[in-house]
Amino acid sequence: MNLVRAELLKIRTTSTWWWLAIGAFVSIVLAFAFNAWLASTVLGGDAETVGMGGEQSTPAAQAANIYTSGQYLGLMFVMLIGILMVTNEFFHQTATTTFLATPRRTSVIIGKLVAASLLGFLFWLATTVIDLVAGAAFLTITDHGTQLGEWPVQRALLFNLLAYAIWTILGVGIGTLITNQLGAVITAAVLYLIGTQVVGLLFLLLSNLLGTQAVLKWQVVWPAVASQVMISEGQSQFVPAWWVGALVLGGYALVSGVAGVLITRRRDIS
């Protein structure tokens, strides 16, 4: 518990997380505006014009989308926090002191993983409160009700929490793999923002090559896509079931956590 408190204190004494929090807030505002427009279009009877239908065009599905606004960039920001929790030790040359104070390196990494999950929870809580207040007001004004009693909405909120926790853990894993702070941050951001688009393009080309759109579902193997899938309602020829996304993201968290522990235990710290 003392290790977790120490990790949280390290984050609180830096200004970086403030900038990331501001970035997350801006992303929520922009995403909410888009999702509100999308909900108005879909629930207004023009779902086909935006490529939606079936379970995805229900009030509950659109409410779930609104209440998780800002997830895409929000997850990147918490991932960067996880990275900084590790790379700050090497950037400020405090890694040696940390491991001398706590010789059991496994305990140090586990402490970072727990602290990262707690920070992910705090980011989720803050963003969800904003989404709930604004979303409930929007849905009530448009005569659709808050939809908060619907299971698809509740599931989306819970799995969004899981996504935030997992992505901070992924950040810790990336930080243990790439200890250079600038290199780790740039690599992770590029893979998240550009890599996701490249993966989508590659699967689109593959589907055209094979003559089937079923292959598009396999985009879920990419963690950013898995995060979006597991908070979505229903499935289609393009989107697998929500539990597939949850399993994929859970697998990434497990691998990242174990890899972080093993790499740190064997690394020469001097």
Side-chain angles (χ1 to χ4, degrees), residues 216-237:
L216 294 175
K217 285 187 174 182
W218 289 98
Q219 294 180 78
V220 73
V221 299
W222 190 251
V225 176
S227 302
Q228 295 173 330
V229 167
M230 75 178 190
I231 63 171
S232 300
E233 175 63 13
Q235 62 184 95
S236 65
Q237 59 182 337

Side-chain angles (χ1 to χ4, degrees), residues 33-74:
F34 175 79
N35 288 336
W37 168 81
L38 184 64
S40 296
T41 302
V42 172
L43 298 178
D46 296 320
E48 293 184 358
T49 62
V50 290
M52 287 192 176
E55 294 179 335
Q56 295 177 332
S57 61
T58 63
Q62 291 305 306
N65 193 37
I66 287 175
Y67 290 140
T68 55
S69 295
Q71 186 213 58
Y72 182 68
L73 290 180

